[in-house]
Amino acid sequence: QVRLVESGGGLEQPGGSLRLSCAASGSFLNDNTMGWYRQAPGKQREPVATTTSGGSTYYADSVKDRFTISRDNAKNTVYLQMNSLKPEDTAAYYCYARARRSYSSGYSDYWGQGTQVTVSS
């Protein structure tokens, strides 16, 4: 089992910055993917950014050049630096991990409890 604990959400003005953190704990191998999804009221959950243990990254078009994902493998922690925030970034942000417990087991998806990001003047 993998437990994900997020922190860092809050209220920010348009153009401002926030940094989200997500710490993973439990028993899992290092060959995993971690990242962030978000869900705005009345909308489906969508991927924001992900990163693999090998260093590959993915960004949604809507956040490219504004958000940066990074990870500290030693701490099993992933970060999302969000700059130039816009009101349309307002959503609940969920930490995500795809990991496996052993080389003989399959990958499973795990989710954090979510942290609210509100961008408003």
Side-chain angles (χ1 to χ4, degrees):
Q1 192 66 284
V2 177
R3 182 169 180 250
L4 304 173
V5 179
E6 303 121 329
S7 60
L11 173 65
E12 183 58 70
Q13 293 185 344
S17 298
L18 284 172
R19 188 188 194 215
L20 305 182
S21 300
C22 172
S25 61
S27 178
F28 54 94
L29 298 182
N30 289 330
D31 60 340
N32 55 67
T33 297
M34 295 185 71
W36 297 90
Y37 281 61
R38 68 186 180 186
Q39 187 168 18
K43 295 188 176 182
Q44 289 188 333
R45 190 174 296 189
E46 61 178 9
V48 176
T50 61
T51 178
T52 68
S53 52
S56 298
T57 58
Y58 159 85
Y59 292 97
D61 288 342
S62 58
V63 306
K64 281 180 180 177
D65 300 323
R66 298 190 299 120
F67 291 8
T68 301
I69 191 168
S70 60
R71 61 188 289 166
D72 184 333
N73 289 329
K75 296 181 178 179
N76 290 322
T77 299
V78 65
Y79 306 95
L80 185 67
Q81 178 66 42
M82 304 184 294
N83 298 329
S84 302
L85 284 164
K86 302 177 180 180
E88 50 263 44
D89 294 320
T90 296
Y93 283 70
Y94 295 88
C95 182
Y96 161 82
R98 172 165 288 184
R100 56 178 175 170
R101 297 187 64 181
S102 68
Y103 289 109
S104 61
S105 63
Y107 288 90
S108 296
D109 294 334
Y110 302 91
W111 297 93
Q113 79 284 0
T115 184
Q116 181 66 33
V117 171
T118 301
V119 184
S120 175
S121 54

